[in-house]
Amino acid sequence: MSRSQAAKADARTGAALDVERIRADFPVLSRRVHGQPLAYLDNAATSQKPQSVIATLDRYYSEYNANIHRGVHTLSEEATAAFEDARRRIAAFINAGDAKQIIFVRGTTEAINLVAQSWGRGRLRQGDEIVITGLEHHSNIVPWQMLCEQTGAKLRVMPITDAGEIDLDAGRKLIGPATRLVAVSHISNALGTINPVAEIVRLAKEHGALTLVDGAQAVPHLAVDVQALGCDFYAFSGHKLFGPTGIGVLYGRAALLEQMPPWQGGGDMIKVVSFERTVYNDLPYKFEAGTPHIAGGIGLGAAIDYVQQTGLDAIARHEQALLEYATAAALRIPGLRLIGTARHKASILSFVMDGIHPHDLGTILDHQGVAIRTGHHCAMPIMERFRIPATARASFAFYNTAAEVDRLMAGITAAQKVFT
Amino acid sequence: MMDLKDLYQEVIVDHNRSPRNFRAMADATRSLEGFNPLCGDRLTLYVKMDGERVSDISFSGSGCAISTASASLMTDAMKGKSREEAEKIFKSFHGMLTDSAPPADPAAFGKLAVLAGVREYPSRIKCATLCWHTLHALIDGANAPVSTE
């Protein structure tokens, strides 16, 4: 592909976003790797952080670092206000209705484990069923397997098609009166498929089953409205949303969260403790034992501010243009096979090459400053489904450019030269 | 900085394209599976022993260029070696990739020296050593599959 094509793609997406200005907000994007400018195309693993997030963390630690809740001194009051303000902004970001429905956790994985254990462990019996899909990350498989082992419930899996879409016709037959919960990813991390979550939630509701949506890959790419989706739980991580690592969110329907027992015991999750009896705290603190990741929560609030200022609609338009451009370029490379060709996809390009193992490709691309991920992407059942050991995966964020896509494709061509 | 050509040398590319001793062995004395769960590399190693000596050795499976070339070169190097000699080569090869200092005399490793460049790529060392750990376990008489993790 030519430079002018790349410029055209940049121009096309440039209408939506001023990418050069955005790139200047992300300090790491100006570094070099192996003497080449970094082209960071591993955003599905974790995203880079804008200066505003980094400065927010710095400000918390340098100006008002203190433990939150119950402190009567100034620093504690400031930290508490900032942390709770972040919670309110997160609630608004996914239209949660009430900030008490936002529970801070370490990440998506912890959120799903919380639901599996707090909601599921005391409730499920032999004969009950949990339904997941063939597109899930290990974090939306293993917690349910553990729950099934503990309770005797059964795990059922909606199959996927050759395009990497959930086979809804087959899925419909799996959801029935025995189904207690359906857990589904909003967007597949390995293939990029955007799943018909609202439809799956409707199906689950018809049979009285609850729903949990793993939104780790969705919140950076599309506007999420948990009330419009109608799901009972929604989980996501801060670090994929341009925020800090170690902080994430579980949203839950208030009535459900009220009924659920605490998951971990400790400080902050109680009202009164004596050796005879403990009275648990109200939502959301009931589920937040111990000192939370205060800086992380405040930093996530700053990341959400950044995303909202940029605008998720503009972000989605830019990323879709990049995905189209990259897909067309990839299809022109002989010996390249895309894995995951769903009709509705986020900006993730998973592929395999004839005669080149993904790990060799990853090393060769790294030498040209192009960072992609190679391997099973914590989704071994998907690799099994497509009978491949691994894929190479380029995943784009709104700060990526068509010129970076060109460098990816040039790197792939260079790798082909090494191996022929 | 390492040049990429030091990692993907001609010899490695050639052994990846046409791996030596790449076949299942029906009359093997013993065989063992090796697995790298991080990248999905999977190989089965077969040996035919003539007393204490490796009379034949082969492998099957799928992996990256580093892992395939390493298994190809290793099986070539092991043919005819005694159990003790094989163990010695394993130890020195492992040292070549994981010792804190690079080998003083790479030429002492013969053909295996082409894999010395892998030591500059920490994330790829397990690719090169998977087959070697599998061989080590096989010679030791292990029955459980070998995993790099």
Side-chain angles (χ1 to χ4, degrees), chain A residues 34-35 355 357 359-368 374-376 380 389-390 418-420, chain B residues 1-4 7-8 13 16-17 35 37-41 62-66 121 124 127:
Chain A
H34 292 293
H357 190 280
H359 276 77
D360 296 312
L361 180 63
T363 296
I364 291 171
L365 286 171
D366 179 59
H367 261 262
Q368 293 161 51
T374 59
H376 54 60
M380 283 183 174
V418 171
F419 286 103
T420 47
Chain B
M1 189 193 71
M2 281 281 296
D3 192 313
L4 200 55
L7 180 64
Y8 293 109
V13 171
N16 176 50
R17 198 183 303 126
F35 181 49
L38 288 187
C39 60
D41 281 6
S62 75
C64 64
I66 304 298
Y121 297 82
R124 305 301 303 277
C127 308

